[in-house]
Amino acid sequence: MEAPPILANRLRKRFKHFHKWARRQGIGCFRIYNHDIPEYPLIADYYEGRVVVWLSQRTRDVTEAEREAFRQDAVKQILEGLELEANNLFVKYRRPGGQYSARSQDGNNQRSSHEFVVTENNLKFLVNLSDYHDTGLFLDHRQTRARLASEAAGKAVLNLFCYTGSFTVYASAAGAASTVSVDLSSRYLDWAERNLQLNGLENLDNTLVEDDVNAWIRDAAGASQRFDLIICDPPTFSNSKSTAGIFDVERDHERLINGCLALLNPGGKLYFSTNKRNFQLNALSLPPFVLCQEITKSTIPPDFAANPPHKCYLFEQSANKA
């Protein structure tokens, strides 16, 4: 007797609920599923008619035949539950060691550069569903982006570890006086430039900088650069050959945060976020006139509420700083 399609049923229910919500909100991409059912350890995100799935192995599946049977069952139920054509499904299979291998489900495993443009709050973003672990747009920071935009008009904005520049696009489109976006990856900076162009923002005061963030912060402080709004969303861990050492957000966040605070104008704000599980903010030795509060709850969108993927903190510099 065939097992009931519990994954397909769950996906169908979740998609119906969030698709209606997203349409009302002007959102084209959202999370459908995140390990809701223990027997199906996977994450599924919707990108305007296409779906990306990150599929983990189950510990109970010992042989390769068992693992392959599970993969085929999961893919079958995903296609059924979401009424999806195989060429619109991209599955990234988690291998031992935490790495993922990606392929589409249309029989063409060599297809690459599956790029297209999606919409979020009337802004356009380029995503790539096939080539990398991530797609180019972190959906869990949708609320954070909107919050930054609501404060950006007329402000000097700094985006550190800027990735593909989604915060920069939001800030510039909201009327920021200027933005500076820093990342070590030239590929991501090129992507950020394309996102700015998609939104007609390429001729505004938006500077993209390829550099190690920690080194750039030191240089900026020495050059007396100052900003009204800073967003800092570092990786959990980085050991790039282009940096002086290994970065670990648990160990290094105090130095990073204080470096950012030194770049704030009086009355300025720093948004610091991390997706490290079980992250705990150190008892920081903050400069005078700086207040800190955790704002995670207000930055988690409804489609991520069951499994919040990040923590977010707001640091505010008093306007009366001496």
Side-chain angles (χ1 to χ4, degrees), residues 80-294:
E80 175 189 341
L82 298 177
E83 299 180 3
L84 199 66
E85 294 183 1
N87 65 334
N88 287 327
L89 176 62
F90 295 81
V91 182
K92 303 171 193 292
Y93 297 102
R94 193 173 195 270
R95 303 194 302 264
Q99 298 299 310
Y100 284 81
S101 59
R103 69 173 186 247
S104 64
Q105 300 306 307
D106 61 355
N108 183 4
N109 294 348
Q110 302 303 313
R111 184 173 61 167
S112 62
S113 298
H114 192 79
E115 296 181 342
F116 64 104
V117 176
V118 297
T119 302
E120 182 182 284
N121 293 324
N122 297 316
L123 296 171
K124 298 176 182 179
F125 298 95
L126 183 71
V127 296
N128 184 319
L129 305 188
S130 58
D131 294 355
Y132 314 109
H133 172 71
D134 295 310
T135 65
L137 183 64
F138 291 132
L139 305 185
D140 62 300
H141 270 304
R142 194 186 307 118
Q143 309 280 87
T144 325
R145 288 190 282 269
R147 180 167 180 159
L148 183 79
S150 71
E151 301 171 343
K155 303 292 180 62
V157 179
L158 173 62
N159 184 5
L160 298 173
F161 304 98
C162 71
Y163 189 43
T164 61
S166 58
F167 280 107
T168 304
V169 168
Y170 263 78
S172 184
S178 64
T179 71
V180 175
S181 305
V182 186
D183 201 282
L184 190 59
S185 169
S186 60
R187 183 181 74 207
Y188 289 150
L189 290 170
D190 289 344
W191 200 328
E193 184 174 21
R194 294 172 72 185
N195 280 334
L196 288 167
Q197 292 169 349
L198 280 172
N199 292 280
L201 304 170
E202 66 273 20
N203 293 324
L204 301 182
D205 190 355
N206 297 306
T207 303
L208 303 174
V209 181
E210 182 182 347
D211 201 351
D212 170 56
V213 165
N214 289 291
W216 185 89
I217 288 174
R218 290 193 299 270
D219 293 343
S224 299
Q225 292 194 57
R226 296 295 181 266
F227 300 88
D228 304 304
L229 289 173
I230 301 176
I231 177 71
C232 183
D233 185 23
T236 297
F237 180 86
S238 175
N239 61 348
S240 171
K241 295 179 181 179
S242 301
T243 61
I246 295 172
F247 174 82
D248 183 287
V249 71
E250 191 80 59
R251 181 193 65 199
D252 299 326
H253 68 269
E254 182 172 4
R255 173 171 54 86
L256 177 60
I257 288 170
N258 278 308
C260 291
L261 293 175
L263 301 179
L264 278 182
N265 280 321
K269 295 181 179 180
L270 162 66
Y271 289 94
F272 177 84
S273 178
T274 176
N275 63 353
K276 181 176 175 58
R277 292 182 181 276
N278 304 315
F279 175 82
Q280 295 295 323
L281 191 71
N282 288 345
L284 303 176
S285 299
L286 295 174
F289 310 106
V290 173
L291 299 177
C292 170
Q293 60 176 315
E294 183 176 349

Side-chain angles (χ1 to χ4, degrees), residues 15-47:
F15 178 79
K16 182 179 180 181
H17 171 72
F18 282 110
H19 190 246
K20 289 181 178 178
W21 163 81
R23 190 167 56 240
R24 291 194 302 268
Q25 300 295 319
I27 295 168
C29 310
F30 54 89
R31 176 146 296 179
I32 307 170
Y33 178 100
N34 185 357
H35 292 77
D36 298 28
I37 303 168
E39 293 85 352
Y40 290 94
L42 61 93
I43 294 171
D45 287 347
Y46 177 79
Y47 287 84

